[in-house]
Amino acid sequence: MRFRGVGAVVAHLSGVVIESIKRTAGVTTLRAGRQTLPVICPGCGMPSWRVHGRYVRRLGDAPVAGRPMIIELTVRRSKCLSSRCPAATSAEQIEGLTRPHARQTQILRSILTSIALCLAGHPLGLHREASADVAGPMI
């Protein structure tokens, strides 16, 4: 079952297709992926229709209704077709949602940064109050 219109409620998810929503042990898990081709190469900006592989990436996201949320995002690796491109293969990034090597969405990262700045770098366990599923040192 595909969930359409979720992007209207949660704007940072507008670039993906939600495939399933599951709630277990107080955590909401969204399975999502991107269905559009081509993938744009981050090295040279050229479009590529050649998918090299896929993997699932787990991202912590902003809480919804006071519950932590995890996004299990199926990410495509693509092969650039340009011979002059410095990146032979690359993983797709979804604007407003992912960054290379990040384990949290950009919105959760900005929430945690705001909490840390308000507390002058001493989180004191308040990330639990924000319903964010992260360790204190990550703030």
Side-chain angles (χ1 to χ4, degrees), residues 107-121:
I107 193 165
L108 178 59
R109 191 73 188 150
S110 67
I111 290 169
L112 296 174
T113 300
S114 295
I115 291 170
L117 290 174
C118 287
L119 298 170

Side-chain angles (χ1 to χ4, degrees), residues 14 20 38 129:
S14 63
S20 69
E129 297 299 322

Side-chain angles (χ1 to χ4, degrees), residues 17-67:
V17 175
I18 306 296
E19 296 177 0
S20 69
I21 302 173
K22 179 175 61 171
R23 186 171 161 208
T24 55
V27 176
T28 303
T29 303
L30 301 178
R31 284 188 167 265
R34 192 168 228 177
Q35 303 294 320
T36 58
L37 281 175
V39 176
I40 304 300
C41 175
C44 65
M46 294 292 294
S48 176
W49 286 267
R50 195 166 184 189
V51 176
H52 183 65
R54 290 179 170 80
Y55 66 95
V56 176
R57 185 173 172 184
R58 290 179 51 92
L59 299 166
D61 195 17
V64 173
R67 306 264 184 209

